[in-house]
């Protein structure tokens, strides 16, 4: 009987509208969930009878069902925060995390470091990224992101670079005496360096003009710091010569002696390159580095590549997702880079709760890479992506589904009245 079938049609409508209200309720409940994407219930009609078979037309519908519940993958607002480990994705992509239930993916970038130094989510999933080698270069190797808690090793100085001006007006009248270096030199200055154990030493350089365009230099260290040195006396650690062109540019530099032998168990015979800049005779143009001009001698700049042992004093992410550590010895090093996963069909990913999703057959395999590469989104440090739920839109959808539920309920009550009339026929 057609009247009975209308009962089931009404029930299917009430069921579908009720499930749609459940989707709306879930959206509203997650209005403040970080990285949440609002979903939408999509209906499909049900066909139960074709009056003319394959000829088409004259088909009787038998209600409605939920055909799909798909996420609406729009971009959420990116809000700045003050937390160093907060990260937000703007565009396509997901953070990859790993835990006891395997690999999963999330847009929730509210991370923190646990007591073991791992970067983790709020449910203790370890964030995945590309690691760095010993030189701080990011390599294409997926790993847990972790910062080392141990001391970083000391680094012995291998090169001292000095940029000076040596006064061309000086007369070649002084003869250097190591017992009285300051009075017997035309110019002196001091720079720092480190031995193999990370101990800092002051190297005093003394310069003497020996000809119109020629200078010699001596590098002295306090004798008590040197093997075979006398306390209270200076010990010679290096020596060499500098030659200049007629226009004051560095023509050549020569290191004739290097004798860095520090006490305390440090490496003996430490090799240190003394670099005064871009010499013409060495294939340079003489544009950078030490000059001989007619002005007072002065140290313009200097640097060296050694460092003491150090511990981490600060961590920060940049907008490329690179985690950089700052150490107590003034050094900085890249530790890792956040990896982003891209899917061909992200709408088909499988939700597993806790703001995480898993790869499914229909989503395709994850394509891993750095932020901003191959269509992946950009990364914002000290930021979080907010939920895409629009409460006004959800309330309008709620009204529509509520009315649809009420209308389907009216279909059932009307059918009940008709069945009551059928029962009355017997009287």
């Amino acid at each position: 009987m057609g009247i009975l079938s209308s009962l089931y049609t009404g029930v299917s409508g009430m069921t579908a509208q009720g499930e749609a209200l459940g989707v709306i309720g879930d959206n509203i409940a997650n209005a403040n969930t970080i990285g949440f994407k609002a979903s939408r219930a999509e209906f499909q009609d049900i066909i139960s009878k074709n009056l003319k078979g394959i000829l088409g037309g004259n088909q009787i519908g038998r209600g409605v069902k939920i055909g799909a519940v798909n996420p609406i993958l729009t971009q959420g607002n990116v809000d700045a925060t003050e937390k160093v480990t907060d990260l937000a994705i703007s565009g396509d992509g997901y953070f990859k995390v790993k835990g006891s239930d395997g690999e999963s993916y999330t847009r929730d970038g509210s991370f923190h470091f646990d007591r073991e130094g791992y970067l983790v989510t709020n449910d203790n999933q370890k964030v995945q990224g590309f690691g760095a080698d010993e030189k701080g270069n990011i390599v294409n190797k997926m790993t847990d992101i972790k910062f080392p808690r141990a001391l970083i090793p000391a680094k012995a100085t291998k090169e001292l670079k000095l940029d000076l001006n040596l006064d061309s007006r000086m007369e070649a009248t002084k003869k250097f005496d190591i017992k009285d270096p300051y009075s017997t030199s035309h110019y002196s200055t001091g720079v720092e360096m480190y031995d193999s154990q990370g101990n800092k030493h002051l190297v005093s350089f003394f310069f003497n003009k020996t000809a119109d365009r020629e200078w010699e230099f001596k590098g002295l260290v306090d004798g008590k710091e040197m093997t075979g040195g006398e306390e209270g006396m200076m010990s010679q650690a290096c020596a060499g010569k500098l030659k200049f062109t007629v226009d004051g540019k560095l023509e050549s530099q020569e290191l004739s002696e290097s004798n860095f032998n520090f006490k305390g168990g440090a490496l003996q015979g430490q090799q240190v390159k003394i670099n005064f800049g871009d010499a013409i005779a060495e294939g340079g143009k003489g544009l950078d580095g030490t000059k001989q001009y007619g002005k007072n001698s002065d140290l313009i700049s200097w640097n060296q590549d050694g460092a003491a042992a150090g511990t981490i004093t600060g961590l920060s992410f940049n907008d490329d997702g690179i985690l950089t550590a700052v150490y107590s010895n003034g050094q900085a090093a890249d530790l890792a880079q956040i990896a982003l996963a891209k899917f061909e069909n992200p709408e088909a990913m499988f939700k597993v709760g806790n703001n995480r999703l898993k790869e499914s057959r229909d989503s395709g395999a994850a394509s891993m890479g750095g932020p901003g590469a191959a269509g992946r989104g950009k990364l914002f440090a000290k930021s979080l992506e907010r939920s895409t739920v629009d409460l006004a839109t959800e309330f309008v959808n709620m009204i529509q589904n509520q009315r649809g539920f009420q209308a389907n309920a009216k279909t059932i009550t009307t059918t009940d009245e008709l069945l009551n009339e059928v029962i009355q026929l017997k009287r």
Side-chain angles (χ1 to χ4, degrees), residues 94-113:
Y94 295 84
F95 300 110
K96 183 177 181 179
V97 297
K98 191 174 183 180
S100 58
D101 60 344
E103 298 174 349
S104 55
Y105 305 88
T106 182
R107 295 277 295 194
D108 182 357
S110 56
F111 304 136
H112 65 275
F113 287 102

Side-chain angles (χ1 to χ4, degrees), residues 85 112-119 144-150 311-315 323-325 327 335-336:
T85 53
H112 65 275
F113 287 102
D114 65 11
R115 64 182 181 181
E116 296 179 352
Y118 290 99
L119 185 66
D144 299 334
I145 294 180
K146 182 182 181 181
F147 73 86
R149 294 185 179 274
T311 56
I312 291 179
T313 58
L315 292 164
L323 176 63
T324 302
Y327 297 91
L335 302 180

Side-chain angles (χ1 to χ4, degrees), residues 17 24 30 50 69 97 103-104 115 184-185 245 273 280:
Q17 298 295 340
I24 294 170
N30 286 282
N50 293 313
V69 178
V97 297
E103 298 174 349
S104 55
R115 64 182 181 181
T184 58
S185 61
T245 63
K273 180 181 179 182
I280 292 176

Side-chain angles (χ1 to χ4, degrees), residues 69-134:
V69 178
N70 290 321
I72 304 172
L73 300 182
T74 57
Q75 176 63 44
N77 291 332
V78 175
D79 295 341
T81 68
E82 295 301 320
K83 191 176 179 182
V84 173
T85 53
D86 283 347
L87 298 172
I89 302 172
S90 177
D92 292 340
Y94 295 84
F95 300 110
K96 183 177 181 179
V97 297
K98 191 174 183 180
S100 58
D101 60 344
E103 298 174 349
S104 55
Y105 305 88
T106 182
R107 295 277 295 194
D108 182 357
S110 56
F111 304 136
H112 65 275
F113 287 102
D114 65 11
R115 64 182 181 181
E116 296 179 352
Y118 290 99
L119 185 66
V120 297
T121 64
N122 290 325
D123 59 334
N124 294 318
Q125 303 288 310
K126 293 177 181 177
V127 182
Q128 303 295 292
F130 300 112
D133 61 18
E134 294 179 354

